[in-house]
Amino acid sequence: METKSTYNMPLVQKSSRENETVCIFGTGDFGRALGCKMLQCGYNVVFGSRSPNNANLIPKGAEALSHHEAAQRSGIIFVAVQRDHYSFLIGMADALRDKILVDVSNNLKLNQYPESNAEYLAELVPGAEVVKAFNTVSAWALQSGTLDASRQVFVCGHDSKSKQMVMEIVRTLGLTPLDQGSLVAAKDVENYPLQLFPMWKMPMYISTVLAVVIFVYCLVTEVIHSYVTKGEDYTYAIMIAIPNRVFPIVSLILLALVYLAGIIAAIIQLYRGTKYSRFPDWLDKWMLCRKQLGLVALGYAFLHVIYTLVIPIRYYVRWWMNNWAISQIKNNATDPFDPNYAWRSDAYLAPGILGFFFYVLLGITSLPSVSNIVNWREFRFVQSKLGYLTLILCTGHTLVYGWDRFIFGPFYRWHLPPAFVLSLIIPCAVLALKFILIAPCVDRKIMKIRQGWERNSQNPKKDVSENGKTTV
C-alpha cells in the first residue's frame, strides 16, 4: 500500500543545472537510494529496468522505463548493476555512444578479476566515457543523509570533462569528490571498500605476538615456577597482575619500534651514502605503519593505567593490607618511615605520569582533524622530539621500577630475568643509537645526504621533493 511522504521532496531550489535528468540502470538498494538522494537535491531521475512495469519500489517522483528509453533521456547514466549483468549493455552500444557511464559496482573480494569492473565496462561499450565513482558510499549512507558516514567519493576516468561533470553531481549531493586520476586507478578504488584496516595488520600482528609471548613468559616465571618449587597457587594472578605486566611491556616495545624504523633508515642512508635508493620492502612497510604502531602502543598504555587504578580494590591487595596492619598491632611494632623508599616511589610514578601525558598528546596529534591544522615543522616537533621524550620518560619509569630487582636473586626464577628486563632491551638500544646519530659529526652527514648529497656523485642532486608527514 503506497503512503504519501515528503521524503523525496527537493531540499533546495532547483537551478538550471539541477533540472538535468540523470539515468540509473538498476532498481536495487543502491540504485533506489542514489535516485532518492538525487531527487532530494533537485535532479530529475529516470530508472532503466528490465521490467519497468513491475518497478514498484522506485522513489516517488522518478520514472521507470526500459533501458533503451531511459538511456535516451540523459547524457549521464549510473550503472548500478553487478558486473555479471553488464552483457545487456553490448546490445545498446549505439544508444550509449558519447554517453557518460558511471560505474558504481564493487566486487566480493580483492582482485576478483584481472581488470577492474570499470575497465571491463569500457571494453564492452567503447563508444561511451566510463567514470568510476560512488562505490565507496553505501546505500545506507545515502539514505541517512551521509551524516554518520564518510563523505569521500573517489572518482577516476580517462576523460577530464566527464569526471568534472560527475564530481559536480557528487558535490551537489553533499559529498566530497576526490580525483584519483585515470581509469587505471579504478582497480585500487574498487579494492578500497574491501580492505579491512590494511595499515593495521602488521601492528596488530606484532602486538598480538608480543602480548602472547610476554604473557607466557610471566606465566612460567610467576605462576608455574611458584607451583613447582613451593607448591603455592598463584593462578589468580592471571586475571589482573600478569596482564598489568604484559600491557606496559608491549606498549614500551611498540613505542620503541616506532622510532627504531627511522634509525635503521638513517643507518642505511649513511651506509649507502645516498637517499636515492629504495629501502627494503620490509622497512618500507614498517615505516608506513608507524602511526598505527604508536596508536596500538597508546592503547596498551591506557589498559595499563586502567588496570593499575583497580589495584586497591583487588581482594588480594585488601587482604594483604589488612593482614599487615593486624600483624603490626599484634607485634606492637611500626615500620619506620623510609625516605629512600619514598624517593624511589615518587621517582617511579612521576616519569610514568608525564610519559602517559605525552603519550596521549602524540595520539591526539595523530588524528587527521588535528594533524591537518599543523604545519610540517610543528608535526615533526611533536612526533619526533616529544616522541623521543615520551620514550625516555617511559623507559625511565621502567628502570626506576626495576631498581634493585636487576640484581636481586629471587627475581631471577629458573635463571630467567624478570619480564620488565625484556621490555628495556629495544628501547635502550633505540635511545643509544639515537644518541650516536645526533652527534654533530654524524648528524651533519645525515642532513647532507637528505639534502641530496651523494658519496659517489660529482654533481649532487638537489632535493626537490615535498616533505610528507612522517619522521625519520
Side-chain angles (χ1 to χ4, degrees), residues 388-440:
Y388 273 105
L389 177 59
T390 304
L391 182 59
I392 291 172
L393 289 171
C394 293
T395 304
H397 173 67
T398 308
L399 286 170
V400 178
Y401 169 80
W403 203 264
D404 58 354
R405 292 182 178 91
F406 289 103
I407 58 175
F408 196 46
F411 286 96
Y412 285 76
R413 295 157 183 169
W414 283 334
H415 305 289
L416 295 174
F420 71 87
V421 175
L422 303 180
S423 69
L424 292 169
I425 297 174
I426 297 179
C428 290
V430 169
L431 293 175
L433 290 172
K434 183 63 178 178
F435 181 77
I436 295 172
L437 292 178
I438 63 175

Side-chain angles (χ1 to χ4, degrees), residues 172-464:
T172 304
L173 298 187
L175 302 168
T176 304
L178 296 177
D179 191 345
Q180 297 298 105
S182 69
L183 210 59
V184 176
K187 196 173 185 66
D188 293 332
V189 173
E190 291 175 1
N191 283 336
Y192 179 80
L194 301 174
Q195 295 175 340
L196 183 63
F197 305 116
M199 300 303 297
W200 291 84
K201 290 182 179 179
M202 180 183 291
M204 294 306 296
Y205 287 150
I206 293 174
S207 62
T208 302
V209 170
L210 281 174
V212 171
V213 171
I214 300 300
F215 181 85
V216 172
Y217 188 91
C218 292
L219 188 68
V220 171
T221 57
E222 297 185 28
V223 177
I224 297 178
H225 175 271
S226 297
Y227 184 79
V228 172
T229 59
K230 302 177 184 178
E232 298 175 347
D233 183 10
Y234 285 111
T235 54
Y236 59 85
I238 293 175
M239 302 305 296
I240 299 292
I242 291 181
N244 201 29
R245 302 198 204 290
V246 173
F247 296 147
I249 292 173
V250 174
S251 178
L252 183 56
I253 293 176
L254 290 178
L255 181 62
L257 290 176
V258 171
Y259 296 98
L260 180 59
I263 289 175
I264 293 176
I267 293 173
I268 290 176
Q269 289 178 338
L270 279 172
Y271 175 76
R272 294 175 176 175
T274 179
K275 72 171 186 177
Y276 300 102
S277 180
R278 288 186 59 85
F279 293 127
D281 289 340
W282 58 267
L283 183 56
D284 268 336
K285 294 178 181 178
W286 185 355
M287 295 182 70
L288 288 173
C289 70
R290 286 181 296 175
K291 173 183 174 180
Q292 289 75 16
L293 272 173
L295 291 175
V296 174
L298 176 59
Y300 276 94
F302 262 110
L303 287 174
H304 174 50
V305 171
I306 294 171
Y307 271 61
T308 301
L309 292 175
V310 303
I311 286 178
I313 65 174
R314 292 179 61 206
Y315 170 78
Y316 167 76
V317 174
R318 289 186 287 113
W319 172 86
W320 187 88
M321 293 294 294
N322 293 334
N323 192 61
W324 175 79
I326 293 171
S327 65
Q328 291 280 324
I329 295 172
K330 286 183 176 181
N331 297 327
N332 193 25
T334 302
D335 286 343
F337 178 77
D338 187 352
N340 291 329
Y341 192 84
W343 267 103
R344 172 183 169 182
S345 176
D346 289 353
Y348 156 67
L349 292 174
I353 295 171
L354 291 174
F356 183 69
F357 169 77
F358 287 115
Y359 231 138
V360 174
L361 183 60
L362 292 173
I364 293 174
T365 312
S366 299
L367 297 174
S369 58
V370 177
S371 61
N372 289 338
I373 63 175
V374 297
N375 60 36
W376 162 245
R377 187 174 182 182
E378 293 168 340
F379 184 88
R380 188 175 185 275
F381 173 80
V382 173
Q383 294 294 324
S384 181
K385 302 296 189 298
L386 294 186
Y388 273 105
L389 177 59
T390 304
L391 182 59
I392 291 172
L393 289 171
C394 293
T395 304
H397 173 67
T398 308
L399 286 170
V400 178
Y401 169 80
W403 203 264
D404 58 354
R405 292 182 178 91
F406 289 103
I407 58 175
F408 196 46
F411 286 96
Y412 285 76
R413 295 157 183 169
W414 283 334
H415 305 289
L416 295 174
F420 71 87
V421 175
L422 303 180
S423 69
L424 292 169
I425 297 174
I426 297 179
C428 290
V430 169
L431 293 175
L433 290 172
K434 183 63 178 178
F435 181 77
I436 295 172
L437 292 178
I438 63 175
C441 56
V442 181
D443 185 59
R444 282 197 298 268
K445 191 69 169 290
I446 295 175
M447 290 302 298
K448 286 178 61 178
I449 291 174
R450 290 175 180 171
Q451 291 174 356
W453 178 85
E454 293 183 273
R455 182 184 299 133
N456 299 322
S457 175
Q458 296 294 332
N459 297 314
K461 301 177 182 179
K462 292 183 179 181
D463 183 17
V464 296

Side-chain angles (χ1 to χ4, degrees), residues 121-137:
L121 180 60
E123 293 176 2
L124 291 180
V125 192
E129 291 292 342
V130 176
V131 176
K132 185 74 186 183
F134 284 99
N135 69 302
T136 56
V137 180

